[in-house]
């Protein structure tokens, strides 16, 4: 193969690559102006390389005119550089002005090209092994100088973008600079004959790589599929280089080991035959791989489309039952057999089923794992499908779990915000109710005695409800102090209207509790009043309050022998606001008690196993952490 033929093939390959790359860019980036400009650069480079092919075929005038259009190449690249660097949210005023001037750059380039044609700025000569090669005449100095100037301006824009940007865009610009250095090295030999240097343009034989590397440097951080293609292409190129080295070794040693017939075959023919075999292998690799996969795993028809469908539909699940239903439907349709999915989760106990084929998915520590049940007699293809699906389903379980956790946290935040707003509204309403209650009280002063007493009774009830609402909706600022527990409870019992109810105290005189005395007094008042309201009409009504220290905690139990609490009210519902069976009660007493106990870092619960029909147990920590001012705030 002569050098001129190699050069012609290289130019033809560059031209074909330019057209293919331009078509691919226009197809993948129809709405991106920067990549459209890059496609224009690829087309112009394809035309420019084809001009050399035309020149070699004897059409010298046409070839020279095509090559003289080279100012359009850097103009398209300048257009691309401006759009690429100025894309995104942050716009640069200087680049905006350059972008507005792009039509003038194109107009100037066309003018330079027309002037070069009119002034015969190019010619063709024979040099070394080539049949014809392009050279610039004296009139072509402006063409060459303008082309270089536009190229410098385009790379200056890229340099500015490298300084201003970060991340993937900065990496792309850096890669383009490296490819630009490679392109400059290849194109340098193009102008040697124009300066009287009689040297064959060997670097231009590698010109097809420049365009491919440039496009790859631009889009590798934008279009991920390009990286997969580049990975395969680099693999095949490496294999071709290995074959070239092996053929060179064979050509040297074959004659010495007695393989004279092989030694007589030209090296380029051996390399060409090997390259042909490699190309054929590349073409049949995918079909052959699918055929072998079907032979090894019969019945398995997994591909990228199936996996994308599985992933998309599993992500649509909003809860665990829906995820199970979607998973069973997808896998059953794929293998044409009924499959059950058993999901082991805290919120969803496993339902044992008698299906022949099942997948059990469970959460172990921090990860989700799966086990295939009943697949021993399944075909290898079906088992492979099940394993792939189960792995994807396990991943979907983790995604759904995190999604539900985030949704629950958001609901809790909204509920807390709603409670804060409701508390503020309740406090405002309670304050506003005080005024009309006072007016009613004063207006009833001249009413008959019986009527006035009835009004005063209802006013006291309303005032108690308002007070409870203010306590429940307001903030709790605790003034913590060592409080004598027995003395506090005794004073409350002395002042209470017991109506014949017997009260027993089993509290040591020396026992003290770190608590807010006023809030603690409110706790016992509410509990005692609540118990007395049920005991006052009972014979032998009895109330017992005992306290003891247990496991470094103060445990207080308030017992009474009144009627047992309805099972429907036991548990958390008992301490919810406005939940009561007490006649005339506000439903806030136990809710306020729990709020005060919680503010002290303690807890309250109802018990029916302490030997009394009703027992409320309060547990306080013996030590409370104080703030710098000696006050513990809720």
């Amino acid at each position: 193969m002569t050098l001129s033929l190699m050069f012609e093939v290289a130019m033809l390959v560059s031209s074909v690559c330019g057209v293919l790359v331009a078509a691919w860019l226009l197809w993948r980036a129809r709405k991106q102006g920067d990549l459209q400009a890059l496609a224009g650069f690829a087309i112009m480079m394809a035309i420019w390389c084809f001009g050399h092919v035309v020149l070699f075929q004897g059409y010298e005038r046409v070839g020279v005119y095509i090559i003289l259009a080279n100012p359009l190449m850097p103009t398209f690249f300048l257009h691309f550089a401006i759009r690429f660097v100025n894309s995104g949210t942050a716009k640069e005023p200087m680049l905006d002005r350059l972008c507005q001037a792009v039509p003038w750059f194109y107009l100037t380039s066309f003018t330079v090209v027309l002037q070069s044609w009119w002034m015969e700025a190019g010619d063709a000569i024979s040099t070394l092994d080539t049949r014809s090669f392009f050279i610039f005449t004296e009139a072509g100095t402006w063409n060459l100088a303008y082309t270089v100037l536009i190229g410098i301006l385009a790379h200056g824009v890229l340099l500015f973008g490298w300084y201003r940007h970060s991340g993937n865009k900065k990496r792309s610009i850096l890669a383009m600079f490296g490819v630009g250095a490679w392109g400059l090295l290849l194109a340098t030999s193009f102008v040697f004959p124009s300066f009287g240097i009689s040297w064959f343009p060997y670097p231009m034989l590698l010109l097809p790589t420049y365009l491919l590397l440039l496009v790859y440097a631009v889009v590798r951080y934008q279009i991920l599929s390009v990286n997969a293609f580049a990975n395969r292409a680099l693999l095949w190129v490496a294999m071709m280089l290995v074959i070239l080295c092996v053929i060179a070794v064979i050509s040297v040693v074959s004659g010495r080991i007695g393989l004279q017939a092989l030694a007589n075959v030209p090296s380029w023919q051996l390399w060409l035959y090997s390259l042909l075999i490699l190309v054929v292998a590349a073409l049949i690799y995918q079909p052959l791989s699918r055929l072998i996969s079907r032979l090894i795993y019969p019945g398995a028809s997994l591909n990228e489309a199936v996996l994308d469908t599985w992933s998309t539909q599993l992500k649509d699940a909003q809860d665990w039952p829906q995820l199970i239903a979607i998973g069973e439907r997808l896998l059953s349709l794929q293998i044409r057999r009924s499959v059950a999915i058993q999901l082991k989760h805290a919120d969803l106990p496993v339902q044992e089923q008698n299906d022949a084929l099942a997948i059990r998915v469970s959460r172990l520590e921090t990860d989700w794992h799966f086990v295939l049940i009943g697949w021993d007699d399944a075909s290898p293809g079906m088992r492979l499908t099940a394993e792939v699906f189960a792995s994807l389903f396990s991943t979907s379980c983790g995604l759904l779990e995190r999604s539900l956790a985030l949704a629950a946290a958001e609901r809790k935040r909204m509920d807390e915000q709603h409670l804060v707003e409701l508390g503020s509204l309740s406090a405002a309403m309670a304050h506003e109710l005080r005024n009309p209650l006072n007016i009613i009280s004063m207006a009833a002063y001249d009413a008959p005695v019986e009527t006035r007493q009835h009004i005063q009774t209802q006013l006291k009830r309303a005032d108690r409800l308002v007070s409870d609402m203010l306590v429940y909706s307001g903030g709790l600022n605790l003034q913590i102090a060592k409080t004598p527990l027995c003395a506090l409870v005794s004073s409350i019992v002395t002042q209470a209207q017991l109506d014949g109810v017997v009260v027993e105290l089993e509290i040591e005189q020396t026992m003290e509790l770190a608590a807010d005395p006023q809030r603690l007094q409110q706790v016992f008042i509410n509990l005692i009043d609540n118990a007395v309201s049920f005991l006052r009409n009972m014979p032998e009504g009895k109330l017992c309050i005992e306290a003891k220290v247990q496991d470094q905690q103060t445990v207080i139990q308030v017992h009474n022998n009144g009627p047992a609490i309805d099972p429907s009210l036991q548990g958390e519902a008992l301490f919810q606001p406005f939940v009561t069976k007490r006649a005339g009660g506000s439903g806030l007493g136990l809710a306020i008690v729990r709020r005060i106990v919680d503010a002290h870092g303690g807890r309250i619960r109802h018990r029916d196993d302490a030997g009394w029909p009703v027992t409320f147990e309060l547990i306080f920590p013996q030590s409370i952490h104080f703030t710098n001012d000696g006050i513990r705030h809720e």
Side-chain angles (χ1 to χ4, degrees):
M1 181 182 291
T2 62
L3 289 177
S4 60
L5 181 58
M6 293 175 60
F7 184 85
E8 187 175 3
V9 171
M11 292 299 99
L12 185 60
V13 171
S14 299
S15 181
V16 173
C17 288
V19 173
L20 294 178
V21 166
W24 182 81
L25 285 173
L26 292 174
W27 174 63
R28 290 302 298 263
R30 290 185 289 270
K31 296 182 180 180
Q32 292 181 253
D34 52 355
L35 295 187
Q36 291 174 358
L38 186 62
F41 170 77
I43 291 175
M44 283 308 306
M45 188 168 184
I47 294 174
W48 185 81
C49 292
F50 187 71
H52 287 278
V53 177
V54 171
L55 194 66
F56 270 46
Q57 294 299 320
Y59 301 96
E60 294 183 355
R61 190 173 185 83
V62 176
V64 168
Y65 277 20
I66 292 176
I67 296 173
L68 284 175
N70 65 325
L72 293 174
M73 274 194 299
T75 305
F76 273 104
F77 190 77
L78 173 64
H79 185 192
F80 157 74
I82 295 173
R83 297 292 296 269
F84 182 79
V85 172
N86 205 34
S87 61
T89 55
K91 302 291 184 180
E92 295 290 341
M94 182 187 70
L95 295 180
D96 285 337
R97 290 192 293 270
L98 279 177
C99 190
Q100 295 173 0
V102 164
W104 293 103
F105 284 113
Y106 280 113
L107 180 61
T108 305
S109 298
F110 276 115
T111 303
V112 172
V113 172
L114 293 175
Q115 183 188 24
S116 299
W117 290 348
W118 179 62
M119 297 182 63
E120 301 292 339
D123 199 0
I125 63 170
S126 297
T127 173
L128 295 180
D129 193 34
T130 61
R131 284 164 284 180
S132 293
F133 197 81
F134 175 86
I135 62 169
F136 285 105
T137 63
E138 292 183 1
T141 305
W142 289 106
N143 184 295
L144 181 60
Y146 178 79
T147 302
V148 173
L149 179 63
I150 295 297
I152 293 174
L153 179 60
H155 285 80
V157 171
L158 290 178
L159 182 62
F160 176 78
W162 179 83
Y163 175 74
R164 299 290 293 180
H165 287 288
S166 61
N168 284 338
K169 182 160 287 190
K170 188 169 188 174
R171 298 186 188 100
S172 293
I173 294 174
L174 183 62
M176 278 188 275
F177 267 103
V179 176
W182 175 248
L184 178 64
L185 178 63
L186 299 182
T188 301
S189 59
F190 162 69
V191 297
F192 282 174
S194 300
F195 292 97
I197 301 175
S198 182
W199 184 60
F200 183 80
Y202 289 104
M204 290 190 69
L205 298 179
L206 299 176
L207 198 59
T209 62
Y210 167 65
L211 183 61
L212 295 177
L213 291 175
L214 178 62
V215 173
Y216 179 59
V218 174
V219 303
R220 67 166 300 186
Y221 296 106
Q222 302 181 33
I223 304 176
L224 296 180
S225 59
V226 174
N227 295 300
F229 172 79
N231 184 60
R232 294 192 297 268
L234 189 60
L235 175 63
W236 291 109
V237 169
M239 291 178 65
M240 283 191 291
L241 293 176
V242 170
I243 290 177
L244 183 61
C245 295
V246 171
I247 294 300
V249 173
I250 291 175
S251 300
V252 173
V253 304
S254 56
R256 299 180 180 180
I257 61 176
L259 301 176
Q260 193 61 39
L262 182 61
N264 293 334
V265 178
S267 299
W268 69 268
Q269 289 186 10
L270 290 176
W271 184 80
L272 184 61
Y273 296 152
S274 302
L275 180 61
L276 181 61
I277 294 174
L278 188 63
V279 171
V280 172
L283 294 176
I284 68 173
Y285 173 76
Q286 289 293 342
L288 193 60
S289 176
R290 287 193 293 268
L291 176 61
I292 294 175
S293 178
R294 291 183 179 180
L295 291 175
I296 301 299
Y297 299 107
S301 56
L302 295 178
N303 51 50
E304 188 174 345
V306 172
L307 296 179
D308 286 343
T309 301
W310 287 352
S311 179
T312 302
Q313 296 195 26
L314 289 173
K315 287 179 181 178
D316 292 337
Q318 302 297 320
D319 51 36
W320 297 111
Q322 187 179 7
L323 180 65
I324 293 174
I326 293 175
E328 291 178 345
R329 176 176 56 82
L330 291 175
L331 186 55
S332 298
L333 287 175
Q334 184 67 24
I335 66 174
R336 298 180 178 85
R337 291 276 300 275
S338 177
V339 180
I341 295 179
Q342 302 172 2
L343 186 61
K344 187 177 181 181
H345 189 265
D347 299 331
L348 192 67
V350 174
Q351 300 293 330
E352 296 293 342
Q353 302 180 28
N354 295 324
D355 298 77
L357 300 179
I359 299 176
R360 174 170 295 178
V361 184
S362 57
R363 195 177 192 278
L364 301 178
E365 295 180 354
T366 59
D367 295 326
W368 287 84
H369 300 271
F370 67 89
V371 177
L372 301 184
I373 302 175
W375 293 83
D376 296 337
D377 294 332
S379 65
M382 290 177 60
R383 188 175 180 88
L384 174 65
T385 302
E387 289 178 349
V388 173
F389 180 84
S391 178
L392 185 60
F393 188 87
S394 300
T395 303
S396 300
C397 287
L399 295 175
L400 179 59
E401 184 180 38
R402 288 190 289 272
S403 176
L404 292 177
L406 290 174
E410 179 64 17
R411 285 195 300 271
K412 183 178 180 181
R413 186 188 67 82
M414 296 298 294
D415 290 342
E416 291 176 350
Q417 181 180 354
H418 178 69
L419 288 176
V420 171
E421 295 172 353
L422 184 60
S424 300
L425 178 61
S426 300
M429 290 180 62
H431 281 293
E432 291 298 325
L433 284 173
R434 283 279 170 83
N435 293 329
L437 290 177
N438 291 331
I439 294 174
I440 294 173
S441 177
M442 289 185 295
Y445 183 77
D446 295 330
V449 176
E450 183 178 352
T451 303
R452 185 169 63 250
Q453 289 179 349
H454 180 68
I455 292 175
Q456 292 297 330
T457 300
Q458 297 302 319
L459 286 175
K460 289 180 180 179
R461 179 183 174 188
D463 187 70
R464 176 66 180 273
L465 178 60
V466 170
S467 299
D468 288 347
M469 288 180 63
L470 286 173
V471 172
Y472 186 74
S473 61
L476 292 181
N477 294 325
L478 303 182
Q479 305 292 331
I480 302 298
K482 290 185 177 181
T483 304
L485 190 58
C486 184
L488 177 71
V489 177
S490 298
S491 65
I492 296 172
V493 171
T494 302
Q495 300 174 16
Q497 297 179 356
L498 299 177
D499 296 334
V501 176
V502 178
V503 178
E504 294 181 359
L505 301 182
E506 298 181 6
I507 306 174
E508 294 183 4
Q509 293 291 335
T510 59
M511 179 174 289
E512 292 182 340
L513 179 64
D516 185 325
Q518 298 297 326
R519 296 301 183 183
L520 192 60
Q521 183 180 31
Q522 195 170 9
V523 167
F524 284 108
I525 289 175
N526 283 348
L527 290 176
I528 292 173
D529 285 350
N530 186 67
V532 170
S533 66
F534 289 100
L535 294 173
R536 62 165 48 100
N537 295 324
M538 291 181 57
E540 300 182 357
K542 189 175 181 181
L543 176 65
C544 178
I545 302 176
E546 61 175 323
K548 57 185 176 180
V549 176
Q550 181 179 345
D551 297 331
Q552 296 184 347
Q553 293 177 324
T554 301
V555 180
I556 304 172
Q557 292 181 332
V558 181
H559 311 285
N560 71 76
N561 61 348
I565 295 177
D566 191 331
S568 63
L569 294 179
Q570 295 184 16
E572 291 295 320
L574 185 61
F575 300 97
Q576 295 298 319
F578 307 111
V579 175
T580 182
K581 290 290 185 179
R582 171 185 169 187
S586 67
L588 288 173
L590 291 178
I592 292 173
V593 169
R594 179 174 182 174
R595 191 154 187 260
I596 295 174
V597 173
D598 288 345
H600 283 81
R603 61 185 186 274
I604 182 174
R605 61 176 177 168
H606 164 261
R607 294 183 59 179
D608 56 6
D609 59 349
W612 292 75
V614 178
T615 297
F616 287 98
E617 184 177 69
L618 294 77
I619 302 175
F620 290 92
Q622 277 195 311
S623 60
I624 294 181
H625 295 287
F626 290 83
T627 56
N628 293 333
D629 56 0
I631 301 174
R632 185 183 187 276
H633 300 278
E634 182 186 22

